Amino acid sequence: MGCFECCIKCLGGVPYASLVATILCFSGVALFCGCGHVALAGTVAILEQHFSTNASDHALLSEVIQLMQYVIYGIASFFFLYGIILLAEGFYTTSAVKELHGEFKTTACGRCISGMFVFLTYVLGVAWLGVFGFSAVPVFMFYNIWSTCEVIKSPQTNGTAGVEQICVDIRQYGIIPWNAFPGKICGSALENICNTNEFYMSYHLFIVACAGAGATVIALLIYMMATTYNYAVLKFKSREDCCTKF
């Protein structure tokens, strides 16, 4: 057998679905964790400088955001390991294992482990749907602030007395208490906030983090299909020593 035939043989045993899902999962989690971490820090800076000058008013929020940043570290580490494990499981359930390492026998333990991956991947998929929805909340909040600033900058309102009556009350989102001072920013002061680097970076980083969460959901859906197919083949065709290439 020549080098070309060996390459074709090896490529035929690659679990392409698991490989694509792993790359997409790593990219999505990296975007979500990296951009989310920096965006949360920028959000705290904006609140402290403009919407809540008293530290005691947003002390609880600061603790929650700090906790979320630590959780982000854990999420990144877990999905790095889990993605590698699922990719390895995909490789070792291909026909390449049978052809390179002799006769391939499925066992009850192997099928149990494969079924565990199916269950865990489904649970993680549902959980990440919630994370994806939650990551859209700050995007919605920053979009409302940005759109209000665009109204202030529009020729119809710019330079008129009504500009100072256009306000954003961050307390209505429930992230700081109603007794927080000032809590509400209006007119030119609000426009100055929108022109800061903290606001610009946080807004766009939250968008990228939300997109990363969506990419992770898609990756987990692919993992669901791959692990379910692997488990079905191992369980129902184990007597025929069939292996999957998914």
Side-chain angles (χ1 to χ4, degrees):
M1 184 179 293
C3 180
F4 178 76
E5 288 79 6
C6 289
C7 292
I8 295 299
K9 177 182 176 181
C10 293
L11 291 176
V14 173
Y16 291 103
S18 297
L19 183 62
V20 171
T22 301
I23 296 174
L24 191 60
C25 181
F26 284 175
S27 302
V29 172
L31 289 175
F32 174 78
C33 294
C35 296
H37 185 278
V38 179
L40 288 172
T43 302
V44 172
I46 294 173
L47 289 174
E48 291 177 346
Q49 295 174 10
H50 304 286
F51 291 97
S52 181
T53 56
N54 189 357
S56 61
D57 292 336
H58 58 269
L60 179 60
L61 178 64
S62 299
E63 293 178 0
V64 171
I65 288 179
Q66 186 177 13
L67 178 62
M68 292 175 63
Q69 289 175 329
Y70 285 117
V71 170
I72 283 175
Y73 297 143
I75 290 175
S77 302
F78 172 78
F79 271 92
F80 177 76
L81 294 176
Y82 190 68
I84 292 178
I85 292 173
L86 286 183
L87 182 61
E89 194 262 349
F91 270 105
Y92 279 97
T93 52
T94 59
S95 58
V97 175
K98 178 178 178 180
E99 295 172 1
L100 296 178
H101 299 286
E103 194 67 18
F104 179 73
K105 295 288 186 180
T106 62
T107 63
C109 181
R111 293 192 295 272
C112 181
I113 293 175
S114 182
M116 181 192 68
F117 283 136
V118 173
F119 174 76
L120 185 57
T121 305
Y122 270 81
V123 172
L124 290 174
V126 174
W128 268 95
L129 283 175
V131 172
F132 176 64
F134 179 77
S135 63
V137 174
V139 176
F140 172 75
M141 183 184 70
F142 273 85
Y143 173 76
N144 283 343
I145 298 175
W146 173 81
S147 60
T148 305
C149 291
E150 291 298 312
V151 173
I152 295 175
K153 296 177 183 178
S154 63
Q156 291 81 6
T157 58
N158 191 18
T160 63
V163 170
E164 297 303 323
Q165 297 179 358
I166 302 176
C167 305
V168 168
D169 192 345
I170 205 69
R171 297 170 296 186
Q172 66 181 341
Y173 298 104
I175 59 177
I176 57 175
W178 282 103
N179 59 355
F181 180 82
K184 182 172 70 173
I185 303 295
C186 303
S188 58
L190 179 61
E191 184 179 0
N192 292 332
I193 294 175
C194 294
N195 292 331
T196 60
N197 291 329
E198 289 84 2
F199 180 87
Y200 180 83
M201 288 296 297
S202 298
Y203 180 33
H204 289 84
L205 287 175
F206 273 127
I207 294 176
V208 176
C210 184
T216 306
V217 171
I218 296 174
L220 288 172
L221 290 175
I222 299 175
Y223 273 139
M224 287 180 194
M225 294 185 290
T227 54
T228 303
Y229 182 81
N230 289 341
Y231 176 74
V233 172
L234 291 176
K235 183 171 179 62
F236 296 109
K237 295 187 178 181
S238 58
R239 293 182 179 179
E240 302 174 5
D241 292 332
C242 291
C243 302
T244 171
K245 291 186 177 182
F246 199 58

